[in-house]
């Protein structure tokens, strides 16, 4: 390239350019670096890198960083000619550097050859006279340079394609960001419309309550006007009326006045109209009450006391109180906290309020309210909730030494409430599925047990039939047994007689059954030798803890 420029005499005619100012013109005014994919503001014609101005418009504001004019991404002007100018300047700089670098540092001669063995450019003196390159293979530097340029150009084409692919991805990301911004603006418009609707519904509800109160007010005003008119007429009668007529009408007047006095004032009360408005954005509080009896004794004996658990939406809360204070507030302040005993496994923000009830005037109740991020087992509250020495003087400690506390918790919005309820429903469905599985297992076991029971019943019926069939055989065996005893040798009869008293044998020789303990019989001498039977043959299970023998 340098040889070509020298041959044309172009380099000899080039004059030194004021690079400093010219370079500043070709720099991005945001990053103050060389322009990459330059874009121009249509208002002030200042230049920016594409990435720099995109980041500026997305993350900061939709204005030009130089002239502050309104600017959007689709209004930017693409400056393709600047890329050519930048490339020409780089080529000029490369030519100038080539003149300096393309000389041998040892002989100060142009580098015309390339040593293949050493893989480095050399001058003619190095190739001819230097011992370092003796016997090496040489090629013309221009030929090797062309090969390198071709390789670089081939790889550069692939690199250019990759740059285009990345630019496409970057454009898609910018489009996605714009869609996000548009979606956010749409959602904001939806919220504005929704809040306008909520406000209109609140106004309608307020108007309805005002109509009720105004009707009550008009009714009371009419009643007041009627009573004042009656009072005026009575005053006139008392001052200017004829005494005889007044005395004649006094009974009716007194009856009328008593009837007016007997009318109930509950018809004119305003407490029936609630001042609360149901919020469509924030859920209502869920709360509980904790009464601490014997506060003075508890203050000295217990460091911590807990309220009963409050369950809602699968969450379990409770009030945690230090009657004598906690930490640096110990001995001087009452410390109160809200504790999340069971959560859903992830932290979430909740609003909570703790209220101490005044036992004389409820309007003087003391309360504190805050919002915190709760996790399972975590407490949030107030170390210095209220001074202990002011509980009695301010009327919060009751005459029976009891302290009444109320605590309230709520999600900050209906979205969090929906998440809690959804998680709770999933847990309930899981429990229901497990219960269904257990029920199926029990039903299978019950079916198997029923089959076995039927088998046992059939066996019992068979046994009953066998027993009924064998009853006659047993009677015959008893008769044969009596005969055998009467006809048996003398040792058997003497053995049986030794087992029974004379009273247990009847006059006609009939054997009477005796309830004997097996241990006594087993200890009798020559028992097993006299009777050629097993001891188990005499056993009859009666369901007791001992085995009984019946003869």
């Amino acid at each position: 390239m340098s040889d070509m420029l020298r041959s044309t005499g172009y380099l000899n005619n080039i004059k030194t350019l004021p690079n400093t100012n010219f370079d500043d013109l070709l720099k991005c005014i945001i990053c103050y670096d060389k322009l990459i994919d330059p874009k121009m503001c249509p208002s002030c014609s200042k230049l920016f890198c594409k990435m720099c101005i995109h980041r500026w418009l997305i993350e900061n504001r939709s204005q030009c960083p130089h002239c502050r004019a309104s600017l959007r991404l689709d209004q930017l002007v693409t400056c393709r000619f600047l890329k050519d100018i930048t490339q020409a300047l780089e080529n000029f700089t490369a030519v100038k550097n080539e003149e300096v670098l393309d000389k041998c540092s040892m002989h100060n001669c142009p580098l015309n050859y390339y040593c293949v063995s050493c893989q480095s450019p050399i001058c003619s003196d190095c190739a001819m006279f230097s011992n370092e390159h003796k016997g090496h293979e040489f090629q013309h530097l221009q030929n090797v340079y062309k090969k390198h340029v071709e390789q670089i150009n081939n790889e550069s084409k692939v690199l250019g394609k990759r740059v285009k692919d990345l630019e496409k991805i970057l454009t898609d990301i910018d489009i996605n960001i714009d869609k996000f911004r548009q979606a956010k603006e749409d959602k904001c418009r939806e919220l504005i419309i929704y809040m306008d609707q909520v406000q209109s519904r609140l106004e309608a509800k307020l108007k309805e309550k005002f109509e009720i109160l105004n009707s009550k007010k008009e009714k009371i005003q009419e009643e007041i006007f009627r009573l004042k008119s009656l009072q005026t007429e009575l005053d006139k009668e008392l001052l200017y009326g004829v005494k005889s007529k007044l005395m004649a009408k006094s009974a009716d007047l007194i009856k009328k006045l008593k009837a007016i006095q007997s009318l109930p004032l509950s018809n004119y009360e305003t407490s029936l109209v609630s001042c609360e408005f149901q919020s469509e954005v924030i859920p209502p509080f869920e709360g509980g009450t904790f009464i601490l009896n014997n506060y003075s004794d508890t203050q000295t004996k217990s460091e911590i006391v807990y309220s009963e658990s409050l369950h809602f939406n699968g969450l379990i809360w409770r009030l945690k109180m230090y009657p004598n204070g906690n930490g640096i507030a110990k001995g001087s302040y009452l410390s109160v906290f809200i504790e999340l005993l069971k959560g859903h496994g992830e932290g979430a923000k909740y609003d909570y309020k703790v209220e101490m009830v005044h036992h004389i005037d409820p309007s003087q109740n003391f309360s504190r309210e805050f919002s915190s991020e709760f996790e399972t087992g975590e407490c949030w509250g107030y170390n210095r909730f209220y001074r202990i020495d002011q509980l009695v003087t301010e009327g919060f400690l009751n005459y029976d030494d009891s302290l009444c506390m109320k605590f309230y918790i709520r999600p900050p919005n209906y979205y969090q409430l929906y998440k809690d309820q959804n998680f709770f429903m999933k847990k309930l469905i899981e429990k229901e599925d497990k219960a269904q599985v257990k029920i199926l297992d029990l039903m299978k076991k019950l079916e198997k047990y029923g089959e076995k029971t039927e088998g046992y019943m059939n066996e019992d019926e068979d046994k009953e039939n066998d027993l009924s069939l064998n009853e006659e055989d047993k009677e015959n065996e008893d008769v044969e047994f009596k005969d055998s005893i009467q006809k048996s040798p003398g040792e058997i009869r003497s053995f049986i007689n030794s087992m029974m008293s004379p009273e247990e044998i009847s006059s006609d020789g009939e054997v009477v059954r005796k309830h004997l303990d097996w241990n006594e019989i087993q200890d009798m001498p020559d028992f097993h030798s006299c009777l050629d039977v097993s001891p188990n043959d005499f056993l009859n299970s009666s369901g007791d803890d001992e085995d009984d023998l019946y003869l």
Side-chain angles (χ1 to χ4, degrees), residues 245-255:
K245 291 182 179 181
L246 179 62
M247 292 173 65
K249 294 189 299 182
S250 63
D252 294 335
L253 290 175
I254 292 171
K255 185 178 180 180

Side-chain angles (χ1 to χ4, degrees), residues 26 50 96 108 194 226 266 314 333 446:
L26 298 179
K50 179 182 178 181
K96 186 176 181 180
N108 198 19
Y194 174 72
R226 189 174 68 85
S266 59
Y333 282 88
L446 187 60

Side-chain angles (χ1 to χ4, degrees), residues 222-481:
E222 290 176 358
E223 184 67 16
I224 291 173
F225 178 76
R226 189 174 68 85
L227 292 177
K228 285 184 176 181
S229 300
L230 181 59
Q231 183 71 38
T232 303
E233 291 178 1
L234 288 175
D235 291 340
K236 289 182 179 180
E237 287 288 338
L238 292 174
L239 291 176
Y240 307 110
V242 181
K243 294 180 181 181
S244 59
K245 291 182 179 181
L246 179 62
M247 292 173 65
K249 294 189 299 182
S250 63
D252 294 335
L253 290 175
I254 292 171
K255 185 178 180 180
K256 188 176 182 180
L257 291 173
K258 287 183 178 181
I260 293 172
Q261 291 292 335
S262 64
L263 291 175
L265 293 176
S266 59
N267 297 331
Y268 310 107
E269 292 181 0
T270 60
S271 59
L272 298 177
V273 181
S274 175
C275 297
E276 297 293 333
F277 289 92
Q278 181 64 40
S279 175
E280 299 182 23
V281 180
I282 301 175
F285 275 110
E286 297 284 344
T289 302
F290 174 51
I291 298 177
L292 178 61
N293 296 314
N294 299 323
Y295 171 77
S296 301
D297 294 339
T298 308
Q299 184 182 7
T300 57
K301 295 179 181 179
S302 301
E303 183 179 0
I304 307 174
V305 291
Y306 298 96
S307 69
E308 294 184 357
S309 299
L310 176 66
H311 299 250
F312 69 95
N313 296 330
L315 302 173
I316 303 178
W317 304 84
R318 69 178 177 183
L319 185 70
K320 181 178 181 180
M321 182 191 296
Y322 292 80
N324 198 38
N326 176 50
I328 59 174
K330 194 167 186 177
S332 56
Y333 282 88
L334 180 69
S335 301
V336 181
F337 300 90
I338 300 293
E339 182 178 9
L340 177 60
L341 287 177
K342 181 182 177 182
H344 295 326
E346 59 180 11
K349 193 173 185 180
Y350 292 91
D351 301 335
Y352 58 93
K353 180 172 67 173
V354 181
E355 183 178 15
M356 188 164 56
V357 178
H358 196 279
H359 74 277
I360 298 175
D361 186 6
S363 63
Q364 296 185 17
N365 290 355
F366 178 78
S367 65
R368 299 185 71 176
E369 185 176 350
F370 203 69
S371 298
S372 299
E373 190 86 11
F374 282 89
E375 293 185 0
T376 302
E378 197 170 23
C379 299
W380 287 98
Y382 311 95
N383 253 345
R384 300 179 179 180
F385 182 74
Y386 204 83
R387 289 190 62 88
I388 297 175
D389 54 0
Q390 294 180 356
L391 292 176
V392 177
T393 59
E394 297 295 333
F396 292 102
L397 198 62
N398 206 345
Y399 64 91
D400 59 353
D401 197 28
S402 64
L403 190 66
C404 183
M405 305 290 295
K406 294 183 178 180
F407 59 101
Y408 306 91
I409 304 98
R410 70 179 178 190
N413 47 60
Y414 276 100
Y415 175 70
Q416 183 62 42
L417 179 64
Y418 161 76
K419 288 179 65 178
D420 293 343
Q421 291 178 344
N422 191 33
F423 188 88
F424 186 40
M425 290 174 63
K426 288 181 179 178
K427 290 293 182 183
L428 291 177
I429 292 171
E430 291 177 1
K431 289 183 179 180
E432 184 182 7
D433 293 340
K434 292 180 180 178
Q436 291 290 344
V437 172
K438 290 183 178 179
I439 291 172
L440 292 175
D441 292 340
L442 291 174
M443 291 180 67
K444 290 179 181 179
K445 291 180 180 178
L446 187 60
E447 290 177 358
K448 292 181 180 179
Y449 178 75
E451 293 175 357
K452 291 182 179 179
T453 305
E454 291 178 358
Y456 293 152
M457 291 176 66
N458 295 329
E459 290 178 2
D460 292 340
E461 290 177 357
D462 295 338
K463 288 180 180 179
E464 288 178 359
N465 294 329
D466 294 339
L467 289 173
S468 63
L469 292 174
N470 293 331
E471 283 179 355
E472 296 179 358
D473 296 337
K474 288 183 179 180
E475 291 178 357
N476 296 329
E477 288 178 359
D478 289 340
V479 174
E480 292 177 359
F481 182 67

